[in-house]
Amino acid sequence: MRLLKVATCNLNQWAMDFDCNMKNIKESIARAKEAGAVIRLGPELEITGYGCEDHFLELDTITHAWECLKDLLLGDWTDGILCSFGMPVINGSERYNCQVLCLNRKIIMIRPKLWLANDGNYRELRWFTAWKQKDQLEDFLLPHEISEALCQKSIPFGYGFIQFLDTAVAVEVCEELFTPIPPHADLALNGVEVFMNASGSHHQLRKLDYRIRAFISATHSRGGVYMYSNQQGCDGGRLYFDGCSCVVVNGDMIAQGSQFSLRDVEVVVAQVDLDAVAGFRGSISSFQEQASCKTKISSVAVQYSLCQPFNLKMSLSGPLKITYHSPEEEIAFGPGCWLWDYLRRSGASGFLLPLSGGADSSSVAAIVGCMCQLVVKEIANGDEQVKADAIRIGRYANGEFPTESREFAKRIFYTVFMGSENSSQETRMRAKKLADEIGSWHLDVSIDTVVSAFLSLFQTLTGKRPRYKVDGGSNVENLGLQNIQARIRMVLAFMLASLLPWVHNKQGFYLVLGSSNVDEGLRGYLTKYDCSSADINPIGSISKQDLRTFLRWAATHLGYSSLAEIEAAPPTAELEPRRSNYSQLDEVDMGMTYEELSVYGRLRKIFHCGPVSMFKNLCYRWGARLTPSESYSPEDNRFDLRQFLYNARWPYQFRKIDELVKELDGEKVPFGESSDHEKMGTTLDGGGGMGVIAAGSGNPKAGH
């Protein structure tokens, strides 16, 4: 037997905070050593933090990364343990995203990333170059100061692996695993038994299964030990990195870290038998045949043994059941953990949320409540860093610290019901009940006097006073009156967030939370500069369908029973007066249900359908409930790149759709003739655009 103990980790790094990052790196190495591991893998770009973005273009960032690496190598951190560190490196004129492999205070080799992530939320080609010279390793001259300190002049740089006396080890960096021809395929044929994947992978609903299936697939047909390390937390941007570091052997998961956690460092250790890898490969005839005619990959020989012989005192890690969270748990824990990182790192004293008593704002409130529960739980588990942050933010004194989530929420969470004459008593009471369950400091404010003052000013200026549609006013008047209420709430929210801490003799400020779901952003069903304009919107990429399911789950699992009643209530903006024969409803205003809107969103983003392709798909699929769309975010212009000014009539596309409709009915429309949509002046987005609808289009919350 060749026994090998490996360690991988989740690290909560912070872009450009080198002290924070080094503290976490050193702690992870110390824990790995304490566990007896001889390989330690960290996340992608862990020294700088993954989310440095245009800071990667600064030479200072590269210099500081080398300084940190020197610090690690001049100490005893790499004594007796192979460490893979992620950092940017400039080779010649090009900047590369690299893993630097170190052992016994020396750099063994530098492995640049071959395939860069450059879609969705990722823009690595903006900052890095992909390494294209795969046929050989080249000599890399170390920076002079590093060379002098380490007594190393040059090291191997490029695509290859390390050949130890008893095994072969190689790196595969994040995106490379998901390419059509991943590096591990050829590396396995070259005898590599241990693969180290350093990653910076963000959380997305229902994404973890896709990721884990890739790890299992990598070793299921070709054998091997696959180690995966990821960042965890908010490193300074809008993404939450969701950890789940793990070890897979021959297609079996044998060690798995948490997906959501408030801990800064989590180390996952596994003991494996490399003879099991050799035996697995030897039993696959096709593997043997392909290995016999493989393309040779360069290697670096190291006269050092990593493995230990047979020892009954050393137990092997066996297969375990993979842990997955439900989508409802993901909605609670992912944004909850991200909010905690943002709060503790921003210098803010807490959060303020305009709480309407509706599904969206109540979802955000529940997420903050979940965050408070996680903080108290982690403190009870002995996490001193979480405890110190909670004491500082909550302004505890005399040795006190949070022991109950409602009490902690009272210190760091304001909720405000900003009612008007159009607000119902039911939503007012729902907001108050939920605030009591969570423990927030709740205010009930009427904005009618402010609305009246604005209308009086307008009447003084113009001589006219607008009326609601139910009172005989036009669509323009109706929309304007609704937008006044919504925008007043935004101004009041920011005023309260900045001044309430002062009122309560607290330092700092409160972060304003928004509550606009992804479907409203897609449809344009919101008021520009209303309560959707905030410092943070935790549900901005979550569909209404998923949020309603979350509310039902949270009513039971988070202990906020009022959420069940909130979820059951029809969604309404409550911006128009109620009459015996009229009550404003979101889905009536939009002209479509949220379920239908989720279908549009999925076809638009996931399946890349324009209006015509969407119509054709819906001809087959309409009426069948699709999985709610979750892997898109039209608000994030890095994720979904489209124009914001559209010809919302879609004349060409709608003519094609009309042709198809009449063709289905046995009629033909000559191409070029005006469509019925065009004649009617329809301005609906059709599901293919950003949802930026002109004011007066029938969208009561538009105001664009």
Side-chain angles (χ1 to χ4, degrees), residues 165-456:
L165 294 175
D166 49 5
T167 188
V169 178
V171 166
E172 187 166 68
V173 187
C174 196
E175 178 73 10
E176 296 172 356
L177 168 65
F178 304 100
T179 57
I181 306 176
H184 67 254
D186 285 332
L187 288 166
L189 297 176
N190 276 264
V192 172
E193 295 177 312
V194 181
F195 304 94
M196 300 187 292
N197 188 311
S199 184
S201 187
H202 72 285
H203 171 241
Q204 184 175 296
L205 281 181
R206 305 175 178 92
K207 176 185 175 184
L208 182 60
D209 177 62
Y210 169 73
R211 194 190 303 164
I212 288 180
R213 280 189 284 114
F215 306 148
I216 292 173
S217 175
T219 60
H220 179 73
S221 60
R222 55 184 67 90
V225 177
Y226 205 94
M227 302 169 60
Y228 173 78
S229 176
N230 193 17
Q231 295 202 70
Q232 188 171 62
C234 164
D235 78 339
R238 286 178 281 186
L239 302 180
Y240 177 77
F241 297 94
D242 62 340
C244 203
S245 295
C246 59
V247 181
V248 175
V249 177
N250 296 344
D252 291 323
M253 178 77 74
I254 65 168
Q256 181 182 2
S258 66
Q259 186 177 11
F260 307 107
S261 173
L262 303 185
R263 287 169 286 180
D264 284 342
V265 178
E266 180 181 358
V267 176
V268 178
V269 178
Q271 179 112 316
V272 301
D273 174 19
L274 292 183
D275 279 355
V277 175
F280 184 89
R281 290 175 174 177
S283 67
I284 304 174
S285 176
S286 59
F287 184 91
Q288 298 291 305
E289 290 299 316
Q290 291 188 357
S292 68
C293 57
K294 62 183 174 291
T295 301
K296 295 272 291 187
I297 298 175
S298 301
S299 64
V300 177
V302 176
Q303 301 301 307
Y304 188 84
S305 296
L306 294 176
C307 301
Q308 295 189 36
F310 173 74
N311 186 340
L312 279 176
K313 294 181 180 179
M314 301 173 65
S315 59
L316 293 177
S317 302
L320 51 78
K321 183 179 180 181
I322 300 171
T323 300
Y324 291 107
H325 288 284
S326 68
E328 296 78 28
E329 290 173 325
E330 291 187 80
I331 292 172
F333 301 146
C337 291
W338 187 93
L339 284 173
W340 176 247
D341 275 344
Y342 197 103
L343 177 61
R344 70 188 181 115
R345 288 172 170 172
S346 67
S349 304
F351 298 113
L352 183 140
L353 171 68
L355 182 59
S356 69
D360 293 336
S361 62
S362 296
S363 294
V364 175
I367 289 170
V368 177
C370 177
M371 181 202 79
C372 294
Q373 293 181 18
L374 291 172
V375 168
V376 171
K377 181 179 178 181
E378 203 59 48
I379 292 174
N381 290 336
D383 193 305
E384 292 299 322
Q385 184 61 59
V386 174
K387 182 178 178 180
D389 288 331
I391 290 173
R392 172 178 54 84
I393 297 168
R395 299 195 68 193
Y396 289 87
N398 302 319
E400 294 182 339
F401 56 87
T403 57
E404 201 274 322
S405 64
R406 293 182 73 254
E407 186 276 332
F408 184 55
K410 195 80 170 181
R411 291 172 176 260
I412 59 103
F413 189 29
Y414 285 118
T415 51
V416 189
F417 181 84
M418 303 187 214
S420 73
E421 61 183 1
N422 301 319
S423 302
S424 67
Q425 186 63 22
E426 291 83 2
T427 54
R428 172 178 277 105
M429 294 310 298
R430 288 179 199 135
K432 184 180 186 307
K433 185 177 179 182
L434 178 59
D436 289 342
E437 291 174 342
I438 293 171
S440 65
W441 189 292
H442 187 66
L443 300 174
D444 190 326
V445 180
S446 173
I447 63 170
D448 287 332
T449 56
V450 186
V451 173
S452 178
F454 266 93
L455 293 177
S456 297

Side-chain angles (χ1 to χ4, degrees), residues 14-71:
W14 192 0
M16 299 301 293
D17 188 338
F18 293 92
D19 287 340
C20 166
N21 297 344
M22 286 292 285
K23 176 178 177 290
N24 292 344
I25 290 169
K26 289 178 178 179
E27 184 174 340
S28 71
I29 297 173
R31 291 190 194 178
K33 283 186 168 185
E34 185 179 356
V38 293
I39 296 179
R40 177 269 178 196
L41 171 66
E44 183 177 11
L45 295 167
E46 61 180 317
I47 290 179
T48 58
Y50 182 85
C52 296
E53 299 188 333
D54 281 3
H55 285 296
F56 284 126
L57 305 179
E58 301 166 3
L59 290 179
D60 278 4
T61 304
I62 312 297
T63 301
H64 297 330
W66 278 112
E67 291 166 349
C68 291
L69 182 65
K70 182 179 75 170
D71 179 36

